[in-house]
Amino acid sequence: MKKTSLILFLFFIINSFSQENENSPPKRQNYFQAEYFYGNILKHQPTVAPLITGHPEGIILSWNQKNYGKEDWEQHFNYPDFGVSFAYQDYKNEIIGKLYSIYGHYNFYLLDRKNKNQLILRTGIGFAYSTNPYDKETNNKNISFGTHLNSSTYLRLYYQRENLIKNLGINAGITFIHASNSNVKSPNTGINTWGATIGLNYNLSEETEPTFFTHPEKESYKEPIKYNVAFRCGVNESEIIGSGLHPFYVFSAYADKRIGRKSAFQLGTDIFISPFLKDYIEYYQINFPNDTSATKNDISRVSLFVGHELFLNKISLITQVGYYIHYPFPYEARYYERLGLKRYFGDKWYAAVSLKAHAANAETVEFGVGIRL
């Protein structure tokens, strides 16, 4: 299962009805997009191949709100849009069924914002509903989705031209969509699709030449090294179908150094307490009795990791790569990756949600809290 991040961030919009003045950015404007999707299922694991029987197709609908610099951080990311999108996919396979998903997303503009022809990168995360998940009796060939409810992420790179005919414009590009339950319940190889999209956009109001508000730049942006303590937890199941859900716990300590307004680098350690490993080790011992590598009583792992944090206002994106230095049982690979989101409350406290994976195999969705001192 390809790694993905896993939570729906619906970006609820709070519109201001106050009077504008010459020192404030213009009111945000909204627009809709409707697109047709046609593509392919990626064979990211050999076991997925029998499920690829056709070309998935569907639609993507989205509502977007433009930003002109109301918040300081917007100008440093070229005034991205944010919004909510809905996607429907027909996998053209009765075993897999269909997928309905909803996302919170950002549109990052890669060209000058005043250019009429735009190249845009969209990143979205959310939830997906699978119509035909695994069932031991009625659908035991669906190894991709073990649950109706799944997490989903998608990326889009596309061209957009607005207001070609009054408020109506066009957009076209390529899209990658991933859905899985992040190993909350087995089986769970997930499905990855990519394809081409073409569609229309419609502005809800007449737009004049946009005026982008700029905030005064700080002469420098410096912070001393900060120290973090975090606790994460959740539930997951081993790859043995029907072995049951178990809680897990992760204790983390790390230092970070901010190198500018947008970025910080991290170095630290994780301690994993993973009760689901007990079932997996017992299964391994029964099937491989001559292998002495299984340590039945040790369900802990300890690692060192390096990471990066990208700051967008009070939300930040974390990416980390770790290596187990205490590794009593060879479960998956000895290295792992973590991709997640943090939401700061004040200058110190934060909540986080993240996905931990070993290359193409997800292990856990982690929910946590932490403090940065």
Side-chain angles (χ1 to χ4, degrees):
M1 180 181 67
K2 291 288 183 182
K3 48 185 178 286
T4 172
S5 82
L6 330 149
I7 193 178
L8 172 64
F9 270 130
L10 290 174
F11 298 92
F12 293 103
I13 314 307
I14 303 177
N15 284 314
S16 172
F17 296 97
S18 59
Q19 294 285 329
E20 294 184 31
N21 58 61
E22 61 182 5
N23 295 319
S24 65
K27 288 182 179 179
R28 291 166 170 166
Q29 298 193 20
N30 306 319
Y31 67 97
F32 285 106
Q33 292 171 310
E35 294 161 298
Y36 169 72
F37 171 88
Y38 183 85
N40 293 281
I41 297 175
L42 297 178
K43 189 176 71 173
H44 63 281
Q45 291 187 17
T47 53
V48 176
L51 301 177
I52 303 175
T53 58
H55 294 278
E57 62 179 337
I59 58 171
I60 301 174
L61 306 175
S62 58
W63 169 86
N64 307 270
Q65 186 172 80
K66 296 184 178 182
N67 290 314
Y68 297 104
K70 182 177 182 180
E71 302 289 342
D72 176 80
W73 69 273
E74 295 170 1
Q75 73 184 68
H76 300 286
F77 288 90
N78 202 22
Y79 307 95
D81 305 335
F82 61 92
V84 177
S85 45
F86 165 83
Y88 161 78
Q89 279 191 87
D90 183 350
Y91 289 115
K92 302 299 181 179
N93 184 288
E94 293 182 357
I95 296 172
I96 308 175
K98 300 174 177 60
L99 193 77
Y100 299 86
S101 48
I102 187 168
Y103 308 89
H105 68 251
Y106 274 102
N107 300 328
F108 293 96
Y109 290 79
L110 304 182
L111 303 177
D112 188 316
R113 287 291 271 108
K114 295 184 179 181
N115 195 325
K116 291 183 178 180
N117 299 294
Q118 287 292 342
L119 184 64
I120 300 172
L121 175 66
R122 173 179 293 179
T123 61
I125 57 175
F127 287 129
Y129 180 84
S130 171
T131 61
N132 198 25
Y134 171 87
D135 184 275
K136 184 178 179 180
E137 297 180 356
T138 62
N139 194 28
N140 58 20
K141 293 182 179 180
N142 188 352
I143 60 171
S144 295
F145 298 123
T147 55
H148 279 294
L149 187 63
N150 298 269
S151 63
S152 184
T153 59
Y154 83 120
L155 296 173
R156 288 190 58 213
L157 181 64
Y158 63 100
Y159 164 83
Q160 179 161 291
R161 176 66 185 268
E162 298 181 63
N163 304 319
L164 273 177
I165 304 175
K166 293 188 177 181
N167 292 22
L168 193 66
I170 60 171
N171 35 272
I174 55 175
T175 299
F176 171 84
I177 303 175
H178 167 79
S180 70
N181 69 31
S182 305
N183 221 43
V184 171
K185 187 176 181 181
S186 295
N188 184 51
T189 61
I191 290 288
N192 301 305
T193 57
W194 72 271
T197 59
I198 187 167
L200 301 173
N201 61 75
Y202 183 83
N203 280 304
L204 296 181
S205 59
E206 295 289 342
E207 185 180 69
T208 58
E209 186 70 22
T211 301
F212 297 98
F213 190 78
T214 57
H215 297 261
E217 291 281 358
K218 294 182 179 179
E219 293 184 3
S220 62
Y221 195 96
K222 296 181 180 179
E223 273 190 359
I225 294 175
K226 297 286 187 176
Y227 299 96
N228 295 257
V229 177
F231 170 73
R232 301 178 177 93
C233 62
V235 294
N236 70 331
E237 185 176 34
S238 76
E239 294 181 356
I240 306 169
I241 297 174
S243 58
L245 294 176
H246 296 275
F248 66 85
Y249 313 96
V250 185
F251 303 90
S252 304
Y254 61 96
D256 71 59
K257 173 62 177 176
R258 197 151 179 178
I259 59 171
R261 179 184 296 275
K262 299 179 182 178
S263 296
F265 289 110
Q266 305 168 338
L267 176 64
T269 183
D270 285 325
I271 300 173
F272 301 95
I273 308 298
S274 307
F276 82 92
L277 280 177
K278 183 177 180 181
D279 292 338
Y280 193 85
I281 293 171
E282 289 176 352
Y283 173 84
Y284 190 87
Q285 288 177 327
I286 292 171
N287 288 275
F288 304 95
N290 296 324
D291 191 335
T292 60
S293 61
T295 304
K296 185 174 182 179
N297 296 323
D298 196 343
I299 57 173
S300 66
R301 288 166 291 174
V302 181
S303 71
L304 296 176
F305 69 84
V306 295
H308 177 266
E309 185 169 356
L310 179 67
F311 295 90
L312 290 85
N313 201 15
K314 295 183 181 296
I315 295 175
S316 66
L317 172 67
I318 57 170
T319 52
Q320 297 171 348
V321 178
Y323 180 83
Y324 299 112
I325 56 175
H326 175 65
Y327 188 62
F329 177 74
Y331 179 78
E332 299 291 354
R334 193 154 186 166
Y335 61 88
Y336 65 92
E337 313 87 48
R338 177 182 284 124
L339 176 66
L341 291 169
K342 294 168 67 175
R343 172 60 162 87
Y344 284 91
F345 300 92
D347 296 329
K348 297 180 179 180
W349 292 96
Y350 57 84
V353 59
S354 55
L355 172 74
K356 180 198 173 193
H358 301 91
N361 295 316
E363 182 182 323
T364 54
V365 180
E366 305 167 329
F367 299 91
V369 294
I371 187 169
R372 184 173 183 256
L373 301 171

